[in-house]
Amino acid sequence: KNQVEQSPQSLIILEGKNCTLQCNYTVSPFSNLRWYKQDTGRGPVSLTIMTFSENTKSNGRYTATLDADTKQSSLHITASQLSDSASYICVVSAGRGGSQGNLIFGKGTKLSVKP
Amino acid sequence: EADIYQTPRYLVIGTGKKITLECSQTMGHDKMYWYQQDPGMELHLIHYSYGVNSTEKGDLSSESTVSRIRTEHFPLTLESARPSHTSQYLCASSQRLAGELFFGEGSRLTVL
């Protein structure tokens, strides 16, 4: 069964600190992996999309890594800001051709950044 | 900023009422989607469309229906709302399969 597991479920850090969120998946065949940021009560916003051949991708203070062999991804946030408080969702696209009907969503990690 | 809009943002209605959640995008995307999300849970695909006059059910069974008469418009309708329909409904679009998804702000529905 295709699954995406994220950890931790929730995380509290102090402003200015770094943190790393984890995503493990059992999705086959693999097409791509995405990280989204979802503010409370809002729609998700894309941070990165990574294909099989990409190991690292950055978007400002966000850096995603992908290990397709171990089926693991991480999202590293550097020098956290209060505005980083949100849920971070890992999504894996299954199937060759990447049908949007085969997107497997994780439950997300809820990050709280405190002053 | 994504040009995809959902109305209403919040709706509280009584059981048995008919409701339509509106979704419009100005990006010219052929692919549009409706997801349902409960608090702290993952998004589940309930409907999708690959173009005008194309609609398909997603992997989560839903009593809602959708239509796609125009490229930019993808409304979702519940003929008779029940408390079990209380949830957040997110509309999204993409330019191509496996491409980046652009989400609307969501419609939070509460059925009393």
Side-chain angles (χ1 to χ4, degrees):
Chain A
K1 179 184 176 185
N2 288 331
Q3 282 187 313
V4 174
E5 302 285 345
Q6 292 188 244
S7 62
Q9 187 175 1
S10 61
L11 181 63
I12 300 174
I13 62 173
L14 292 176
E15 185 179 13
K17 298 296 186 183
N18 303 335
C19 68
T20 300
L21 314 180
Q22 300 290 344
C23 173
N24 297 336
Y25 61 93
T26 54
V27 176
S28 182
F30 173 89
S31 178
N32 60 59
L33 184 145
R34 310 129 184 254
W35 282 94
Y36 287 87
K37 177 187 178 187
Q38 185 177 24
D39 292 320
T40 301
R42 310 288 291 273
V45 175
S46 178
L47 294 175
T48 65
I49 298 178
M50 301 176 72
T51 59
F52 185 89
S53 59
E54 295 174 297
N55 300 119
T56 303
K57 204 161 193 178
S58 292
N59 179 359
R61 294 180 297 103
Y62 301 102
T63 299
T65 66
L66 174 64
D67 186 334
D69 291 331
T70 61
K71 298 188 177 182
Q72 295 180 323
S73 176
S74 65
L75 180 69
H76 185 75
I77 304 175
T78 304
S80 61
Q81 300 176 358
L82 298 179
S83 59
D84 292 331
S85 294
S87 286
Y88 291 84
I89 303 172
C90 177
V91 185
V92 180
S93 178
R96 293 183 176 83
S99 164
Q100 293 283 23
N102 288 328
L103 285 180
I104 316 300
F105 285 79
K107 292 183 179 180
T109 291
K110 187 175 176 63
L111 174 66
S112 296
V113 181
K114 303 295 186 184
Chain B
E1 291 283 328
D3 296 319
I4 180 164
Y5 309 99
Q6 291 187 238
T7 57
R9 288 290 316 279
Y10 304 93
L11 181 62
V12 181
I13 60 169
T15 297
K17 299 293 186 182
K18 177 181 178 179
I19 63 118
T20 296
L21 304 180
E22 302 287 349
C23 177
S24 295
Q25 50 95 6
T26 59
M27 296 173 282
H29 290 171
D30 284 328
K31 285 72 176 173
M32 295 190 74
Y33 316 85
W34 276 103
Y35 290 90
Q36 186 173 341
Q37 184 184 31
D38 292 321
M41 300 299 290
E42 63 268 51
L43 279 71
H44 289 286
L45 182 67
I46 52 175
H47 296 284
Y48 60 99
S49 167
Y50 288 160
V52 171
N53 294 325
S54 152
T55 61
E56 301 287 345
K57 288 188 179 293
D59 51 33
L60 180 67
S61 175
S62 174
E63 294 165 346
S64 58
T65 59
V66 292
S67 63
R68 189 84 184 278
I69 299 173
R70 303 199 315 266
T71 298
E72 61 271 21
H73 198 213
F74 191 40
L76 180 145
T77 298
L78 275 167
E79 290 293 333
S80 180
R82 296 205 301 270
S84 61
H85 296 139
T86 294
S87 189
Q88 165 136 297
Y89 294 85
L90 288 160
C91 181
S93 72
S94 66
Q95 187 172 30
R96 58 181 179 84
L97 291 176
E100 183 176 354
L101 275 178
F102 294 91
F103 284 89
E105 295 285 32
S107 293
R108 180 164 295 282
L109 173 66
T110 301
V111 183
L112 303 176

